[in-house]
Amino acid sequence: QQLPTHYFLITFTVPEQLHPFFIHKPQEGYTALFKAASGALKELASNPRFLGVDLPGFFAVLHTWGRTLNFHPHIHFVVPGGGIDKEKELWRSTSEEFYAPGQALAKVFKGIFGELIEAAGLTDCLDPCVWSKNWVVDCEAVGHNSEGTIKYLAPYVFKTAITDNRIVSVDKGKVTFIYKKSGSNRQRRMTLDVKEFIRRYLMHVLPCGFMRIRHYGFM
């Protein structure tokens, strides 16, 4: 079910130096990640320079793995290009090409995340250099048909970091699986020691009961 409007795919990514924190404190880390990213979207949506609404709406999907089972936590948001002005009871649309500037979203995202970590008393668990790194937010216009974006995200929701059909062999303490590099359709093979394979796989097991998909605002 999609609204008759244009959509955006907005992706929030954290610096690599934060990865150990997410691995050792996934409940606290992922919870802060969701709150900071959604908070940044709400804050800029309320800004009259961009959208100027008090009730935006979007849904988010947490994704933690890369194509070789490497650890790469980030959140994808599927965002309709507009929101509800509750006071005037009307829908306000963005342009089809622009929702909010990625650099501004990244700055607010980093600020809220830092405040949440400080409030939880976890500042000492992070490498201080993360605050000097660039936090990246990519905002991609996907037009009026969000179906392709949802199909792209679906495997991250209903499948795990690797499926059986990608595993070529398990032999002599080694696991071989196939993968494709981003932007390429050519299949490649990677062989890992079985313990390294298990280590990579277990990094993507979420805390018990943790919700990978979350809905916000009018959604």
Side-chain angles (χ1 to χ4, degrees), residues 7 57-61 75-80 146 150 153 213-216 219:
Y7 278 78
F58 39 82
F59 72 88
V61 179
I75 298 184
H76 297 290
F77 284 82
V78 178
V79 185
S146 63
I150 293 171
L153 294 176
I213 310 174
R214 302 190 181 190
H215 295 77
Y216 300 87
M219 299 187 79

Side-chain angles (χ1 to χ4, degrees), residues 47 61 79 86 102 106 118 127 137 142 182 194-195 202 212:
N47 190 324
V61 179
V79 185
K86 291 195 292 185
E118 184 177 1
D127 185 336
V137 178
V142 296
S182 180
V194 66
K195 290 184 179 179
L202 291 179
R212 187 189 297 274

Side-chain angles (χ1 to χ4, degrees), residues 139-167:
C139 188
E140 179 185 354
V142 296
H144 281 261
N145 189 354
S146 63
E147 183 178 353
T149 299
I150 293 171
K151 284 183 177 179
Y152 167 75
L153 294 176
Y156 306 149
V157 180
F158 297 108
K159 295 180 182 179
T160 186
I162 190 168
T163 51
D164 289 348
N165 62 351
R166 288 181 56 200
I167 298 176

Side-chain angles (χ1 to χ4, degrees), residues 159-179:
K159 295 180 182 179
T160 186
I162 190 168
T163 51
D164 289 348
N165 62 351
R166 288 181 56 200
I167 298 176
V168 176
S169 66
V170 182
D171 186 49
K172 297 179 181 178
K174 304 288 184 182
V175 180
T176 299
F177 60 92
I178 56 174
Y179 71 100

